[in-house]
Amino acid sequence: HREQSIIYHQETKMKKRFVHKPSVVDCTLQSAPTLNTPFETLSFPLKLHKMLEDATAKGFDHVISFSSDGQCFHVKNRERFVEDVMPKYFRMKQFASFHRQLNFYGFERINRGSDKSSFYHDMFRRGEKRLLFQMKRKRQKTPGSHHPNFEEDKLVALKALHAIQQNP
């Protein structure tokens, strides 16, 4: 029985060794998901790009669209975007959630000039889907991780709370 178990484990290890794992080299347009796949399987940048392409084709470019040079995009009517457009492309119901995703992917809000209030990213341009595969989502910070003494402060607070509970 022990020999059979060893053989089984060796066979499964061999199978695992030959499973193809996609590499960065595989991330070409040919191996990338097509935009005909269900939206749940697409990344946020791909969904966003598809939505902006559809804006002109489907007639909602008065709500959201790429800038004239295609380097950034602008939400022109936030209310219509949240109620009519966003639910068709994303599983979120609030603009704040959409904005948060933009931040996670490194989009920057333009605060000056003719494109004021637009969103920009180096790898997000009209007609250049191949660049989208270079975009990476930033990880969420853990609560308080921005504070250098977070753990120490948390311990002091817990001790104080314990002392208060002991001596009401």
Side-chain angles (χ1 to χ4, degrees), residues 16 70 85 104-105:
K16 287 179 183 175
V85 179
F104 277 138
Y105 278 95

Side-chain angles (χ1 to χ4, degrees), residues 74-139:
H74 185 74
V75 178
K76 299 172 183 176
N77 185 330
R78 186 183 292 197
E79 188 177 305
R80 292 271 60 90
F81 174 70
V82 170
E83 290 178 15
D84 301 335
V85 179
M86 201 168 72
K88 294 177 183 173
Y89 294 88
F90 305 103
R91 279 196 239 161
M92 48 187 94
K93 297 181 191 301
Q94 298 177 359
F95 188 80
S97 301
F98 175 76
H99 193 251
R100 187 168 183 238
Q101 286 298 313
L102 292 173
N103 289 336
F104 277 138
Y105 278 95
F107 282 86
E108 297 174 16
R109 189 172 184 134
I110 300 171
N111 294 319
R112 297 182 183 173
S114 61
D115 291 325
K116 186 177 180 180
S117 298
S118 295
F119 294 95
Y120 169 82
H121 191 290
D122 286 341
M123 299 294 154
F124 194 86
R125 298 184 197 133
R126 181 178 44 223
E128 301 211 31
K129 286 186 201 125
R130 62 183 170 75
L131 296 175
L132 301 177
F133 299 101
Q134 297 176 38
M135 295 176 73
K136 299 289 181 225
R137 189 176 194 272
K138 296 175 188 175
R139 293 190 174 191

